[in-house]
Amino acid sequence: MQAVAKKLDEQDCLASFREQFCLPEGVIYLDGNSLGPLPVAAKQRAVEVVTQQWGQDLITSWNKHAWIDLPQQCGEQIAPLIGAAPGQVICCDSISVNLFKVLSGAIRMQPGRRKVMTTSDNFPTDIYTIEGLSEQLGEDRCELVLVDEESIEAMLDESIAVLLLTQVNFRSGRLLDMKEITRTAHAKGILVVWDLAHSAGALPVHLDAHEADFAVGCTYKYLNGGPGAPAFIYVAKRHQQQFKQPVSGWMGHASPFTFGSAYAPAAGVKQNLSGTPAVIAMSVLEAALSVWKDVDILQVRQKSMAMGEFFLECLRVLELDSVLPCVSPSAAKERGSQLAFRHEHAYAICQAWIEAGVVADFRAPDRLRVGFAPLYISFQAVWEACEKLKCLIEEQRYLEARFRLQQTVT
Amino acid sequence: MQAVAKKLDEQDCLASFREQFCLPEGVIYLDGNSLGPLPVAAKQRAVEVVTQQWGQDLITSWNKHAWIDLPQQCGEQIAPLIGAAPGQVICCDSISVNLFKVLSGAIRMQPGRRKVMTTSDNFPTDIYTIEGLSEQLGEDRCELVLVDEESIEAMLDESIAVLLLTQVNFRSGRLLDMKEITRTAHAKGILVVWDLAHSAGALPVHLDAHEADFAVGCTYKYLNGGPGAPAFIYVAKRHQQQFKQPVSGWMGHASPFTFGSAYAPAAGVKQNLSGTPAVIAMSVLEAALSVWKDVDILQVRQKSMAMGEFFLECLRVLELDSVLPCVSPSAAKERGSQLAFRHEHAYAICQAWIEAGVVADFRAPDRLRVGFAPLYISFQAVWEACEKLKCLIEEQRYLEARFRLQQTVT
């Protein structure tokens, strides 16, 4: 497999992007689906925004360095990666806060309907946000409905106001069919919110073409914006007049610097801003996003699918496929850019693998998650990671790691 | 006045703190009430959190560098500055988002009451948040009531659910009596939310002693946490069981890493977390807050009051007091750490002053705002700033600046 890997790397048209990242020596990083690594441009920007802009230019930087434009600027850099025409994406807050805004606004647009449906194995925050909104508004205005991922379309009916789906399942990596589901939902008068946490930067997304209504997403995974980097929000142009989110803050006002006492939402997607933008984080994100201006997202998808298949083949060759059964969809086109494996001691295996220099992650209760970020991972690194996995499983090194258990976060 | 300033500086027991800040050469910074300058510790931390923690240790930093504890750690560092015992303050999101959480939760605790009262010249976000909530819940569940700052106590009655006040007015600098107002409000069964944007780090605040119910505040002004740094939220211990905020995210869950589908709020103030913390910003903030561990906030208040009085005396000596009438309260103890002056061409004067090396700011429609941050401003600098102001007004240099108008943000 080493020779195959070498060949694949030689043919890799994305190989040169690796130079744009700071990666630690001797580490194979298969966790970009959780926290992307540091882009060189982001490292430089962090010093500049803190030392020069904040330190030297102080308050004048709002104009001098266009801090005030960062939310829109970052949004417009993300837009082409998720298939959005200009004027529909803006960066702000966290996914959780943005979900709250979008769901609140969407349900208001559906008088007479109160159900908000999502999948029972969606990422917890997506479910919790609906619960929180339901508790706030009352069940007569917002009711959480959970459905199995397999039966989403079958369960759609005219009683549902909003359908919230994460395009790529955070545990299994399963990729939902945005086009088909959105079409089916629309036929029943349902608005669809897409959570792109595991999609943006991992695969081509077509929000406009597939007529998505709203979307949210994070920038610290495949977009490499940094730990806890600001999230984004998409509101389709056709809804921007009618949509109204409740977390009204001064930065979402049509004219923030008149300091008037009556709220008038800014036109377009900008009304989604609430407080003062997180300048340092957003400036770092803006630099991180510059990597993408030369990236063909179709090539990213091709390499990502090839890498997933190659990883599975390595496991078969190493006779690990029965030890670590894959619980992701078997067809590459039905997966995002990650694979999940079930093992009783998945957490311990993950820890032992990290100690051996391969970073992946664990998801309760028993999943080992392996992410493939095509901009900086090589096929040879994937093969080496598999060899290390084989070794630690044969030597049962993970049993020892079990005694040093400590919960890991992403 | 030069000699007086020199003497005051010699007696200044806070003078040595100036070394802990990076300040640009040749600039007198009287805008720390808008954006605090860069602490040396924050500058170092920015490089460390980006280059070492994110860049080298990647995802393992959540444990290795305790990223997961940053919201609570920052909160506990702020707590003593605002008179809060441990377990009541946490850092997250922006003031706007935190106001939304706190107001939503507070109004739920007041069944049968729907009015949320605030002052008509409060900072816009405070008013807008109530408007947003009112529009979301309906006027039958949340109704905005605006009142003049002069008649707050007279207007309190049993129909009011929540009173939201900013302790120090952002335009005038007027300081409200937290103790008296809270007591009067409580006597009518009203819950009080204090916005400490212009108080935290500027003067002693006694949330616990004055029995405040809730508070929010920002960290990028007197606390020098950096542009758009995360805000904080205070929930009094006695309310923590009953209080429930609606923006339920995974980080506010009692057990985030079990990834369960039913939301169970974390105990205490931690339920106010929603999304993944803004690690870079919060780590920088944590370092910035380290300045405060050796600061006596009473000394800060004394110097701040002395500085305000000294500034006013300088204006009198320079015969500027009638040109720039002060619109802040005349008694130092009734002001926060800033002064406001009215002038038809306040914006142009502010711009010309910045060009002369003195940074203050402008607030629409006609206010020049001057802030005194005692940790890094000297009396001699204040005198020098006044001399420059005299000079530019005498030479009518601001008239020329008017033609280069550009809206400034804070």
Side-chain angles (χ1 to χ4, degrees), chain A residues 36 54 125 128 136 141 250 260, chain B residues 36 54 125 128 136 141 250 260:
Chain A
W54 175 19
T125 260
Y128 300 164
Q136 187 202 26
R141 289 174 60 189
W250 74 307
Chain B
W54 175 19
T125 262
Y128 301 163
Q136 186 201 26
R141 287 173 63 187
W250 73 307

Side-chain angles (χ1 to χ4, degrees), chain B residues 144-358:
Chain B
L144 167 66
V145 178
L146 292 174
V147 66
D148 281 348
E149 210 169 55
E150 290 71 30
S151 43
I152 297 166
E153 288 182 82
M155 298 297 286
L156 296 176
D157 65 42
E158 270 85 4
S159 73
I160 297 159
V162 182
L163 175 63
L164 164 62
L165 295 173
T166 298
Q167 195 187 12
V168 176
N169 184 290
F170 82 108
R171 274 197 197 89
S172 69
R174 179 176 176 161
L175 173 67
L176 296 179
D177 186 335
M178 181 182 285
K179 187 177 177 181
E180 269 309 298
I181 296 174
T182 306
R183 196 208 310 253
T184 309
H186 282 178
K188 316 253 177 190
I190 300 164
L191 291 170
V192 191
V193 180
W194 287 97
D195 180 339
L196 306 177
H198 293 270
S199 319
L203 45 93
V205 178
H206 306 286
L207 290 177
D208 286 350
H210 296 160
E211 298 189 338
D213 299 294
F214 306 97
V216 297
C218 81
T219 63
Y220 51 74
K221 297 178 187 288
Y222 296 99
L223 297 177
N224 315 302
F232 63 84
I233 190 166
Y234 162 92
V235 177
K237 206 112 210 172
R238 66 185 178 284
H239 295 314
Q240 292 182 358
Q241 280 285 341
Q242 204 194 336
F243 177 79
K244 170 82 182 65
Q245 66 86 12
V247 193
S248 325
W250 73 307
M251 282 292 155
H253 193 280
S255 175
F257 300 105
T258 53
F259 296 96
S261 65
Y263 184 69
V269 75
K270 207 179 160 191
Q271 67 147 292
N272 290 291
L273 299 184
S274 299
T276 303
V279 169
I280 296 176
M282 220 173 272
S283 186
V284 167
L285 169 61
E286 205 262 337
L289 291 171
S290 68
V291 171
W292 293 93
K293 68 180 189 300
D294 302 317
V295 173
D296 179 345
I297 191 76
L298 281 170
Q299 289 180 343
V300 170
R301 177 63 172 157
Q302 278 159 7
K303 182 172 170 186
S304 150
M305 291 198 294
M307 216 157 228
E309 291 297 291
F310 179 74
F311 187 88
L312 291 170
E313 183 60 25
C314 292
L315 293 196
R316 277 188 288 269
V317 168
L318 295 166
E319 292 170 348
L320 286 174
D321 51 335
S322 56
V323 184
L324 282 165
C326 180
V327 291
S328 301
S330 53
K333 66 179 177 31
E334 289 169 15
R335 297 189 302 253
S337 201
Q338 66 184 65
L339 287 167
F341 302 89
R342 189 191 299 120
H343 195 285
E344 185 192 356
H345 301 306
Y347 182 67
I349 290 174
C350 183
Q351 288 303 103
W353 213 12
I354 290 172
E355 284 163 22
V358 181

Side-chain angles (χ1 to χ4, degrees), chain A residues 108-216:
Chain A
R108 271 172 66 116
M109 292 167 64
Q110 296 282 58
R113 298 190 187 197
R114 65 170 194 239
K115 291 184 187 166
V116 181
M117 183 185 271
T118 194
T119 53
S120 48
D121 62 346
N122 201 345
F123 187 74
T125 260
D126 299 70
I127 302 172
Y128 300 164
T129 313
I130 305 172
E131 288 185 67
L133 192 61
S134 173
E135 231 191 301
Q136 187 202 26
L137 296 179
E139 279 229 322
D140 56 324
R141 289 174 60 189
C142 175
E143 184 192 341
L144 167 67
V145 177
L146 291 175
V147 68
D148 281 349
E149 211 168 55
E150 290 71 31
S151 42
I152 297 167
E153 289 182 83
M155 298 296 286
L156 297 177
D157 65 43
E158 270 86 4
S159 74
I160 296 159
V162 183
L163 175 64
L164 164 61
L165 296 173
T166 299
Q167 195 187 12
V168 176
N169 184 291
F170 81 108
R171 273 198 197 90
S172 69
R174 180 176 174 161
L175 173 67
L176 296 179
D177 187 335
M178 181 182 284
K179 187 177 178 180
E180 269 310 298
I181 295 174
T182 305
R183 195 209 310 255
T184 310
H186 282 178
K188 317 253 178 189
I190 301 165
L191 291 169
V192 192
V193 180
W194 287 97
D195 180 339
L196 306 177
H198 292 269
S199 319
L203 44 93
V205 178
H206 307 285
L207 290 176
D208 286 350
H210 296 159
E211 298 190 337
D213 299 292
F214 306 97
V216 297

